[in-house]
């Protein structure tokens, strides 16, 4: 008596299913059926689909916060307010600014104190020192900065050349 070896026969693969997700990583499947036993292997085949990232969900804005205080009491200042986005990505801006107190100031303004003098802008030659102030309230007449010119001895060629001693002057040969 000889041994009898049976060979299974698979039917053709069916069509692919739709992807298991509309965006983001999903799976496609298809099936086949064994037409004569014993069939070796799997009756289901899987493949990945929709590898692209899902678009951000439309978010929702909270109500605007209250307006900040105006940056000036009069004479056109700025104020701002903000809001937050939740549950996704929101279109538009989270911050808003507008002008406020645009009426001119009837009273004369008040200057803050002058700052200290800055360092001189150069170490030798003509330089500038500066000090500033800002208008605290109202319309302030006058300048917000003062410049002061300073003359310092300039560097001469004799003491600026490499290899020469202070005060030594090199004579040109003819």
């Amino acid at each position: 008596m000889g041994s009898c070896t049976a060979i299974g026969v698979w039917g053709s693969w069916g069509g692919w299913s739709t992807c298991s997700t509309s965006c983001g990583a999903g799976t496609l499947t298809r099936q086949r059926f064994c037409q004569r036993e014993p069939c070796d292997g799997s009756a289901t085949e899987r493949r990945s689909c929709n590898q692209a990232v899902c678009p951000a969900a439309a978010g929702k804005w909270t109500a605007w916060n209250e307006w900040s205080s105006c940056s000036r009491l009069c004479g056109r200042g700025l104020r701002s307010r903000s809001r937050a986005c939740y549950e996704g990505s929101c279109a538009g801006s989270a911050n808003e600014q507008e002008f406020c107190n645009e009426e001119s100031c009837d009273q004369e303004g008040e200057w803050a104190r002058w700052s200290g003098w800055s360092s001189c802008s150069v170490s030798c030659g003509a330089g500038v020192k500066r000090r500033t102030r800002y208008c605290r309230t109202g319309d302030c007449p006058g300048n917000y900065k003062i410049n002061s010119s300073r003359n310092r001895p300039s560097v001469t060629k004799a003491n600026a050349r490499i290899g020469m001693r202070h005060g030594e002057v090199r004579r040109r040969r003819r």
Side-chain angles (χ1 to χ4, degrees):
M1 255 167 73
S3 67
C4 181
T5 307
I7 299 175
V9 176
W10 284 106
S12 298
W13 286 103
W16 289 101
S17 67
T18 58
C19 190
S20 61
T21 61
S22 59
C23 68
T27 306
L28 295 169
T29 58
R30 69 180 182 172
Q31 304 258 334
R32 65 182 177 174
F33 297 96
C34 183
Q35 294 180 341
R36 186 174 63 204
E37 294 288 341
C39 291
D40 192 23
S42 177
T44 305
E45 186 178 26
R46 289 177 174 73
R47 182 184 294 171
S48 60
C49 57
N50 287 342
Q51 298 299 313
V53 175
C54 294
K60 297 176 184 175
W61 287 110
T62 60
W64 286 102
N65 292 330
E66 295 294 318
W67 285 103
S68 68
S69 299
C70 192
S71 62
R72 295 196 57 165
L73 297 175
C74 58
R76 195 174 204 194
L78 276 174
R79 68 182 188 164
S80 60
R81 66 181 182 171
S82 62
R83 61 184 176 173
C85 177
Y86 65 97
E87 293 183 10
S89 178
C90 297
S93 177
N95 299 301
E96 189 174 61
Q97 284 186 324
E98 70 177 14
F99 291 111
C100 53
N101 295 341
E102 295 190 53
E103 62 280 349
S104 66
C105 299
D106 293 333
Q107 82 260 17
E108 187 172 313
E110 177 188 351
W111 285 107
R113 290 183 174 208
W114 285 103
S115 68
W117 286 101
S118 69
S119 299
C120 190
S121 61
V122 295
S123 60
C124 66
V128 175
K129 284 186 162 192
R130 176 176 291 137
R131 68 180 184 169
T132 59
R133 62 183 177 172
Y134 65 94
C135 184
R136 293 168 49 128
T137 60
D139 285 329
C140 297
N143 293 324
Y144 70 94
K145 68 179 177 180
I146 294 177
N147 295 327
S148 175
S149 297
R150 299 278 189 230
N151 286 323
R152 293 192 176 173
S154 60
V155 177
T156 63
K157 286 185 180 182
N159 63 16
R161 281 199 180 138
I162 296 174
M164 295 185 72
R165 294 184 190 135
H166 180 69
E168 183 180 33
V169 177
R170 184 175 289 173
R171 294 186 183 167
R172 291 187 176 172
R173 294 183 180 176
R174 292 185 189 207

